[in-house]
Amino acid sequence: MLYAKVLRSKYPSARILNINLDEAEKIVGVKAIITAKDIPNNEFGVIIPDQQVLAKERTYFIGDGIAVVAAETPELAKKAVESIKVEYEEIPGIFDPLESKNALPIHEDKDNNQVIHHKLRKGNVEEGFKRSDVILEREYKTQFVEHAYMEPEVVIAVPYENNSVVTIYGSIQNPFACRNAVASVLKIGFNQVRIVQNHIGGSFGGKDEVISSMSARAAVLALKTNRPVKLKNTREESVIESYKRHPYNMRYKVGATKEGKLLAMEIEAIADSGAYACQTPFVTWRSVVQATGPYEIPNVKTDTYGYYTNNVYTGAMRGYGSPQVIFANESLMDELAQELGMNPLELRLKNIFHDNSETASGQKLDNHKVSLEEVIKKAADSINFLEKYKEYSKEQKADKRKGIGMAISYRGCSLGAEAVDAAGVILSIQKDGTLYFYSGLAENGQGLKTAFSQIVAEELGIDIEKINFMVVDTLISPDSGSTVASRATLVGGNATLDAAKKLKKKLTDFLIEKYNSSHKELIFKDNSIYTPDQEKLMSFDEAASSAYNSGVFLSSYGWYKAPKISWDEETGQGRPYFTYVYGCQIAEVEVDIGTGEIKVLKMVAAHDVGRSINPANVLGQFYGGISMGLGYGIMEELDINEGYINNTNFDEYLVPTVKDMPDITPIIVENPDPNGPYGAKSIGEPTLELGAAAIANAVAQATGKRIRSLPINLEKIVVGHSLKKGRKKK
């Protein structure tokens, strides 16, 4: 095996005048060096193919690769990279998406810097504002955030293995997306690229396009040298090259009656796409659907945009366009409640969705239980929200002051109108009664293997230990798209249930015929098969062996396609998702206004999951999501200055540790959904999207100062209080 190393750009925006490989090629042990001219097709992208595998004529961000070396050892590869000489001509960069709107195009083949514009129009906002007694206009801002998975990205490309042109192993979140990208780059068929997902050390949406780029580079080198090639990022390389959560600039205007009834909302949200389009078109689409929050508002005008800059590019991260707008709209609700002189719980209950409510996109919520009021009341009761809100609203004179805040959300389940939403599995019973299982969706640490295996075990009445869950292999597993959007249990679980039911029917039909039985159904339980009157026919193992020896085919494809949805690009009206989940989180904080230190004391999270397939896994999603929401709210921020990233490791990029975690009260709410397997829906992303907003509202109550940008850090609190004191003295 050879080891690869990437030479990355020296400048975030520059023209490449010359690349000199002479010294590097002379180093003994260097087997190949590739640049953009060696890439058959140098641009790829899931939505807009504008991402360079290696920079060809110019660099667009600091993480752009210039050349890749394959050598006998990592040390030799590093030495060779350092020997490559590149001549650049710097080009003035654009680093603010607000400036990018009116600037010359960063990508010269495009007319402007706009990646996407999504619109939503409902009612007449001008009339709504005219009828409003109170109108608030606010601006909110969020930051770049790093995924911070423990394992950096790594792939190994093996040429001509198992009749494929190239096989790639790695920490790959979305094997089929990776396959598609590599096939496109190499200009070969999908059936000639084999992706095998290894156990993955965290992703949270992050190991997608960056892994596709690395896989393509490794594949080109493997084919050039006819040897396996390993490409692994260091932590610093990972932070520099990998995409981030989108920063948003948001302007909100809301109108309401003096009684607190919402009448109109107008929103503009501008996302920084960075150097490439990546997932920006889909991320901002989810934002436009959910930007108004889970509130009945008759008049809405929403515009979401993405603009190119020369910053690190942005893509999928847990929450996918919802944490940003939830921070804004839930902060806005608290500000409106204060303006109206009512508590934030009262304002929310006046306006939230109920059964048969109509969303901003005109969708009637008539096919599932709308449980917003239930999750709000369960969360509020568990922490005594009203009593504490009243107590903390009194004047606090000590330096350490407490506050409590809430945030609520509704979230569309699965992909929605972003893409085709279907998934498949292969389930096979062996003649000894054991099973193997291939899923087209990937286990990325969320517990998919456990949930799917439980569904099979439940349906066939067998022990879960009988099931061998295989890794995703794109030459065997059914193409199920990407493992994103909290869709695995919902869509993949339905495909799993479909496969299990098909095999159950095959065994049932075989046994009924074998015993000449008058029964139409049999009972599968306790590793055995029974008649409806509880007569045991035989063990599951015996049934499998007997069926096999009788020529019964005991393998099955399971497939599930999500219910029909709709979306009008011009008006933003339709049914963008076939079902939704609902959540409420409440944060209790203590803030030292002298030092600015924020301590999150307690978090309550109530989420409707439809049906909890595995409660322990669901609780894991609660704790992990709350941790990430806390980091997003008060400490995490990628420090970017004119395109350069200053905090490239965890000594300076801060993530929550065990010492930062509050007491957590998780509340699993179950209202089985007719479209879910056993009624299950989504939970992976909803637990993350609410934390920052709830903490922001709690900090505002504790300090009396509203901070409208994330993260809510020490400097903003201390400076804010110093300014406030100064005004009082004057």
Side-chain angles (χ1 to χ4, degrees):
M1 184 173 72
L2 299 174
Y3 299 85
K5 195 77 172 173
V6 179
L7 173 67
R8 291 177 179 80
S9 176
K10 186 177 179 181
Y11 306 104
S13 178
R15 202 171 306 282
I16 300 171
L17 302 179
N18 184 52
I19 304 173
N20 188 329
L21 307 177
D22 293 347
E23 288 187 30
E25 289 174 334
K26 292 176 185 176
I27 296 173
V28 177
V30 171
K31 297 302 178 182
I33 304 175
I34 59 170
T35 61
K37 64 181 176 60
D38 300 296
I39 310 295
N41 174 27
N42 194 46
E43 291 187 325
F44 72 96
V46 175
I47 307 164
I48 300 173
D50 64 2
Q51 182 171 341
Q52 301 182 105
V53 178
L54 291 172
K56 188 176 182 180
E57 296 175 351
R58 65 159 294 179
T59 67
Y60 294 102
F61 84 113
I62 197 65
D64 265 331
I66 306 296
V68 191
V69 175
E72 295 286 358
T73 68
E75 293 77 16
L76 285 171
K78 182 174 183 291
K79 181 180 178 182
V81 161
E82 292 169 350
S83 301
I84 297 172
K85 303 292 190 296
V86 183
E87 186 181 349
Y88 298 95
E89 177 190 340
E90 280 195 82
I91 301 171
I94 301 168
F95 307 106
D96 185 340
L98 300 179
E99 295 176 5
S100 182
K101 287 173 30 175
N102 301 312
L104 291 174
I106 289 172
H107 293 268
E108 294 174 358
D109 60 331
K110 302 181 187 299
D111 294 331
N112 53 57
N113 288 320
Q114 183 176 291
V115 179
I116 198 71
H117 172 206
H118 294 295
K119 297 182 287 187
L120 187 149
R121 305 289 186 264
K122 179 187 179 185
N124 186 316
V125 289
E126 288 80 9
E127 287 299 317
F129 288 125
K130 283 179 184 178
R131 290 167 34 223
S132 299
D133 299 313
V134 175
I135 296 174
L136 288 186
E137 296 187 65
R138 297 288 186 268
E139 294 186 11
Y140 303 94
K141 187 175 182 179
T142 64
Q143 75 279 39
F144 283 99
V145 175
E146 161 70 20
H147 294 79
Y149 27 73
M150 293 297 288
E151 171 202 43
E153 306 85 359
V154 59
V155 297
I156 297 175
V158 184
Y160 308 110
E161 183 182 61
N162 288 354
N163 296 317
S164 65
V165 170
V166 64
T167 297
I168 297 170
Y169 302 87
S171 55
I172 301 165
Q173 176 180 321
N174 295 318
F176 288 98
C178 183
R179 177 203 65 177
N180 299 353
V182 172
S184 171
V185 168
L186 296 180
K187 292 186 174 181
I188 58 178
F190 289 169
N191 64 339
Q192 296 176 290
V193 178
R194 180 179 179 227
I195 306 294
V196 180
Q197 185 204 36
N198 297 122
H199 295 297
I200 191 166
S203 180
F204 315 112
K207 290 178 176 174
D208 197 348
E209 282 83 358
V210 64
I211 282 283
S212 294
S213 178
M214 292 175 65
S215 297
R217 295 167 182 172
V220 171
L221 282 168
L223 296 174
K224 188 178 180 72
T225 60
N226 198 27
R227 290 174 66 174
V229 173
K230 181 176 184 177
L231 179 56
K232 177 173 72 75
N233 279 342
T234 64
R235 176 63 59 192
E236 288 82 3
E237 289 170 331
S238 173
V239 172
I240 289 169
E241 183 177 7
S242 67
Y243 54 89
K244 314 303 175 193
R245 187 189 295 286
H246 290 74
Y248 272 42
N249 289 276
M250 294 165 286
R251 296 171 58 189
Y252 271 70
K253 181 179 179 181
V254 63
T257 67
K258 59 179 181 292
E259 293 79 23
K261 196 66 179 170
L262 299 176
L263 295 181
M265 191 175 287
E266 185 172 356
I267 303 163
E268 181 187 73
I270 294 176
D272 188 339
S273 186
Y276 302 119
C278 192
Q279 295 284 328
T280 296
F282 287 169
V283 170
T284 52
W285 179 77
R286 182 174 282 273
S287 298
V288 86
V289 175
Q290 298 176 197
T292 54
Y295 302 106
E296 293 182 328
I297 309 172
N299 305 290
V300 179
K301 179 185 178 186
T302 304
D303 293 276
T304 63
Y305 302 86
Y307 286 97
Y308 291 110
T309 67
N310 293 112
N311 292 319
V312 59
Y313 70 112
T314 47
M317 186 173 181
R318 189 180 189 178
Y320 201 83
S322 64
Q324 297 95 328
V325 294
I326 289 173
F327 164 65
N329 68 48
E330 287 302 285
S331 296
L332 184 70
M333 287 301 104
D334 265 38
E335 293 201 64
L336 180 60
Q338 186 176 23
E339 188 76 16
L340 293 168
M342 62 177 62
N343 73 65
L345 175 58
E346 180 186 0
L347 177 66
R348 286 173 171 82
L349 291 176
K350 281 178 180 284
N351 293 285
I352 57 170
F353 292 153
H354 295 90
D355 290 343
N356 298 308
S357 287
E358 186 180 280
T359 68
S361 59
Q363 180 173 1
K364 190 175 182 182
L365 301 174
D366 57 1
N367 65 341
H368 64 279
K369 177 62 180 174
V370 179
S371 55
L372 259 175
E373 187 168 350
E374 181 181 0
V375 296
I376 291 171
K377 288 188 172 179
K378 285 184 174 178
D381 290 347
S382 72
I383 200 171
N384 298 318
F385 177 83
L386 287 176
E387 292 85 347
K388 288 183 177 179
Y389 184 83
K390 185 177 179 180
E391 178 186 346
Y392 299 153
S393 294
K394 298 174 183 175
E395 185 179 0
Q396 300 181 58
K397 295 184 178 179
D399 277 351
K400 292 185 177 181
R401 302 176 186 179
K402 291 184 177 180
I404 193 166
M406 68 162 45
I408 65 174
S409 71
Y410 81 121
R411 182 180 184 84
C413 297
S414 204
L415 295 176
E418 293 173 19
V420 175
D421 202 354
V425 304
I426 298 173
L427 183 60
S428 182
I429 302 174
Q430 307 306 293
K431 62 183 178 181
D432 64 350
T434 61
L435 297 85
Y436 70 77
F437 184 103
Y438 278 99
S439 165
L441 294 173
E443 171 65 76
N444 295 319
Q446 76 276 36
L448 171 152
K449 290 183 180 181
T450 304
F452 286 7
S453 297
Q454 279 186 264
I455 290 170
V456 173
E458 177 77 16
E459 195 64 22
L460 297 180
I462 58 174
D463 291 337
I464 199 170
E465 289 80 7
K466 283 182 171 289
I467 303 163
N468 186 9
F469 199 109
M470 314 298 287
V471 296
V472 177
D473 182 332
T474 58
L475 291 188
I476 301 172
S477 307
D479 186 347
S480 303
S482 294
T483 309
V484 295
S486 303
R487 65 189 288 255
T489 301
L490 181 53
V491 180
N494 271 326
T496 302
L497 188 56
D498 178 53
K501 285 183 173 180
K502 287 175 179 175
L503 290 181
K504 185 177 181 180
K505 187 176 187 308
K506 285 186 179 185
L507 283 174
T508 297
D509 292 347
F510 165 72
L511 291 173
I512 286 173
E513 182 180 351
K514 178 181 176 71
Y515 288 99
N516 195 24
S517 172
S518 61
H519 299 299
K520 292 184 178 180
E521 301 290 339
L522 298 175
I523 297 171
F524 287 60
K525 65 176 184 178
D526 302 328
N527 294 306
S528 298
I529 301 170
Y530 298 81
T531 65
D533 52 8
Q534 299 300 316
E535 177 189 352
K536 181 177 177 179
L537 293 178
M538 61 178 66
S539 71
F540 183 86
D541 296 354
E542 291 169 334
S545 178
S546 181
Y548 175 85
N549 291 327
S550 298
V552 178
F553 181 58
L554 292 179
S555 295
S556 177
Y557 265 94
W559 187 255
Y560 179 77
K561 182 181 177 183
K564 187 177 180 181
I565 50 174
S566 63
W567 184 256
D568 186 312
E569 287 289 348
E570 285 303 309
T571 63
Q573 295 296 289
R575 295 179 64 86
Y577 296 97
F578 62 87
T579 193
Y580 294 83
V581 289
Y582 305 92
C584 174
Q585 290 188 11
I586 299 175
E588 186 175 357
V589 305
E590 181 181 78
V591 183
D592 188 323
I593 62 168
T595 64
E597 181 183 4
I598 301 170
K599 186 174 183 181
V600 183
L601 303 173
K602 294 181 181 179
M603 289 285 293
V604 174
H607 290 273
D608 189 341
V609 302
R611 177 80 181 276
S612 177
I613 298 291
N614 187 301
N617 271 353
V618 171
L619 291 178
Q621 294 292 343
F622 273 73
Y623 302 138
I626 287 169
S627 172
M628 292 187 79
L630 184 150
Y632 186 47
I634 64 174
M635 64 179 67
E636 293 190 46
E637 182 173 21
L638 198 73
D639 181 12
I640 299 183
N641 182 25
E642 299 289 294
Y644 295 92
I645 300 173
N646 296 320
N647 48 346
T648 58
N649 212 319
F650 294 150
D651 56 344
E652 292 180 301
Y653 184 89
L654 302 181
V655 294
T657 70
V658 65
K659 291 186 176 182
D660 300 300
M661 291 300 289
D663 290 334
I664 298 173
T665 302
I667 302 171
I668 298 173
V669 177
E670 294 184 291
N671 288 288
D673 192 284
N675 288 306
Y678 302 113
K681 291 201 274 194
S682 306
I683 191 57
E685 292 174 286
T687 56
L688 168 280
E689 63 189 11
L690 289 165
I695 292 168
N697 286 334
V699 169
Q701 191 195 25
T703 63
K705 174 181 170 55
R706 171 65 57 176
I707 297 172
R708 300 187 181 93
S709 62
L710 294 180
I712 303 166
N713 59 31
L714 312 182
E715 183 180 353
K716 293 172 185 175
I717 292 171
V718 173
V719 170
H721 271 275
S722 298
L723 291 173
K724 195 172 180 182
K725 289 176 183 177
R727 284 196 295 269
K728 282 184 177 179
K729 287 178 182 176
K730 289 179 182 177

